[in-house]
């Protein structure tokens, strides 16, 4: 306990952090809520002295916007597809790493590298891998397509190249590329968390299972997964939160168009919708969209918490 006479020193030491939190966290949240309920709010118009009515007009405009449903669909679809896949893969890799003693530290470092790499840079690399580089006519006037790394692998095994992200590509192909990239990019953090949880499990459980001759599959499903459930709940919840905020990965692969050249905005998300509103100086609409996204994330998090309470073993 801090002596009551010395509390002022504690507040003095905390004051820089408190001031920064108030200026860059608390005030922006309060201001976002305020702008969301000022109809047709615009920063430039406000600076000119224009007054705005209080109401829910911004929320109605967001919902009525023609691309809103598509943005919401893309966001939800990316979450539903990537979170379970990345969590399952991270669990299997973490279990494998935990059982490997030789070069374990080196492998951990390799798996963790994508986490400390810029998302835009990684997206550009993935775009180059899935991109159809170009085409030219051969000596017999036949069209030869330079299909890119991924398509070269497909053709090596007897398949035909696929238009993943270029002009005329399908929505399904675009979404497949995004799922592969997001899953790959989400693995390092989840592997690190789950590996830490595995290493904290009491080895006596595994020793008892070995004495009883329990098969590895039952050890995994009846010992490892239940004892790892707090960590699994954590990575699932944070995975959904991160998935609903997905934006930079799409920009890294498709650029500012957020889709192939023939259908700009096809893969736009809720966060992209907010940025688009800000670019048109529609801060009120952007704030309303941000609050809608916050409400969705809050609802999903609360559902996850309720489900986790029944399944987590501490």
């Amino acid at each position: 306990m801090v002596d009551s006479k010395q509390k002022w020193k504690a507040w003095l030491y905390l004051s820089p952090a408190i001031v920064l939190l108030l200026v860059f966290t608390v005030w922006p949240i309060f201001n976002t809520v305020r702008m969301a309920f000022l109809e047709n709010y615009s920063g430039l118009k406000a600076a000119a002295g224009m007054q705005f009515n209080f109401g829910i007009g911004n929320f109605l405009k967001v919902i009525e916007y023609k691309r809103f449903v598509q943005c919401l669909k893309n966001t939800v679809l990316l979450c539903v597809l990537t979170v379970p896949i990345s969590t399952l893969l991270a669990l299997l890799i973490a279990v494998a790493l935990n059982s490997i003693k030789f070069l374990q530290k080196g492998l951990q470092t390799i798996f963790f590298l994508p986490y400390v790499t810029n998302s835009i840079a990684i997206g550009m690399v993935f775009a180059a891998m899935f991109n159809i580089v170009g085409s030219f006519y051969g000596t017999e006037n036949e069209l030869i397509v330079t299909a890119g790394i991924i398509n070269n692998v497909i053709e090596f095994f007897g398949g035909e190249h696929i238009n993943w992200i270029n002009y005329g590509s399908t929505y399904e192909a675009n979404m497949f590329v995004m799922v592969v990239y997001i899953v790959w990019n989400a693995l390092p953090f989840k592997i690190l968390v789950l590996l830490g949880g595995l290493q904290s499990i009491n080895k006596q459980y595994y020793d008892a299972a070995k004495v009883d001759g329990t098969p590895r599959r039952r050890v995994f499903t009846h010992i490892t997964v239940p004892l790892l459930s707090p960590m699994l709940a954590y990575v699932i919840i944070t995975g959904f939160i991160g998935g609903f905020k997905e934006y930079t990965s799409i920009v890294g692969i498709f650029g500012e168009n957020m889709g192939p050249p023939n259908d700009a905005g096809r893969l736009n998300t809720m966060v992209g919708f907010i940025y688009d509103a800000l670019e048109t100086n529609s801060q009120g609409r952007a704030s309303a969209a941000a609050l809608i996204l916050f409400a969705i994330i809050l609802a999903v998090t609360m559902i996850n918490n309720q489900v986790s309470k029944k399944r987590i073993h501490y």
Side-chain angles (χ1 to χ4, degrees):
M1 296 291 294
V2 179
D3 186 0
S4 58
K5 295 182 179 180
Q6 301 298 324
K7 282 185 178 180
W8 68 271
K9 291 185 177 179
W11 284 109
L12 179 64
Y13 297 146
L14 288 172
S15 59
I18 293 173
V19 170
L20 290 175
L21 285 172
L22 290 174
V23 173
F24 295 105
T25 301
V26 177
W27 166 246
I29 293 174
F30 172 79
N31 197 36
T32 299
V33 175
R34 181 183 68 87
M35 291 188 297
F37 288 96
L38 295 177
E39 295 189 357
N40 300 317
Y41 181 86
S42 169
L44 292 177
K45 294 178 181 179
M50 184 175 177
Q51 300 295 320
F52 303 94
N53 296 325
F54 184 86
I56 60 172
N58 291 326
F59 294 92
L60 296 177
K61 284 189 175 182
V62 170
I63 297 173
E64 293 171 356
Y65 184 68
K66 61 181 180 179
R67 286 278 189 175
F68 172 76
V69 175
Q70 181 68 28
C71 294
L72 184 60
K73 172 190 171 183
N74 292 335
T75 304
V76 174
L77 191 58
L78 287 174
C79 284
V80 171
L81 292 175
T82 59
V83 173
I85 296 174
S86 61
T87 303
L88 179 60
L89 287 176
L91 176 60
L92 296 176
I93 294 172
V95 171
L97 281 176
N98 192 48
S99 62
I100 297 174
K101 302 304 178 184
F102 181 66
L103 295 178
Q104 187 183 74
K105 297 297 183 183
L107 291 173
Q108 289 180 32
T109 303
I110 293 173
F111 276 107
F112 193 69
L113 282 176
Y115 188 71
V116 295
T117 306
N118 184 272
S119 298
I120 299 295
I122 298 174
M124 294 174 66
V125 172
F126 267 75
M129 292 171 60
F130 285 93
N131 190 25
I132 295 178
V133 180
S135 59
F136 60 93
Y137 288 95
T139 55
E140 299 181 1
N141 206 33
E142 75 279 11
L143 182 64
I144 301 175
V145 177
T146 307
I149 298 174
I150 300 299
N151 279 323
N152 286 338
V153 174
I154 294 174
E155 291 176 345
F156 177 80
F157 287 101
E160 295 185 359
H161 72 270
I162 300 172
N163 185 3
W164 296 105
I165 61 175
N166 297 84
Y167 185 93
S169 58
T170 63
Y171 177 79
E172 291 75 17
N174 300 160
M175 189 59 67
F176 178 82
V177 175
M178 291 311 310
V179 169
V180 171
Y181 166 67
I182 294 172
V183 168
W184 184 83
N185 197 34
L187 282 177
F189 174 75
K190 294 184 178 182
I191 291 173
L192 183 69
V193 172
L194 295 177
L195 186 60
L198 284 170
Q199 293 175 348
S200 65
I201 294 177
N202 195 326
K203 300 299 184 289
Q204 291 180 354
Y205 294 107
Y206 296 108
D207 293 338
K210 187 181 295 184
V211 171
D212 293 338
T214 308
R216 288 187 176 181
R217 181 179 61 83
R218 289 182 61 84
V219 171
F220 177 76
T221 56
H222 288 71
I223 296 178
T224 302
V225 173
L227 293 178
L228 204 60
S229 55
M231 300 300 178
L232 286 171
Y234 172 74
V235 297
I236 289 173
I237 291 174
T238 55
F240 272 108
I241 293 174
F244 276 108
K245 297 189 296 181
E246 199 62 59
Y247 174 73
T248 56
S249 57
I250 302 171
V251 173
I253 292 180
F254 291 96
E256 294 181 355
N257 286 332
M258 302 290 283
N262 62 300
D263 192 1
R266 175 191 286 177
L267 295 179
N268 202 3
T269 60
M270 288 296 294
V271 174
F273 179 90
I274 294 169
Y275 279 121
D276 291 341
L278 289 174
E279 287 181 357
T280 59
N281 200 40
S282 302
Q283 287 85 1
R285 193 173 65 193
S287 300
L291 290 186
I292 292 174
L293 179 60
F294 169 76
I296 294 172
I297 294 175
L298 180 62
V300 172
T301 303
M302 292 177 66
I303 293 172
N304 278 326
N305 283 333
Q306 291 299 319
V307 174
S308 299
K309 286 180 181 179
K310 300 178 181 179
R311 298 184 178 273
I312 291 182
H313 302 272
Y314 290 100

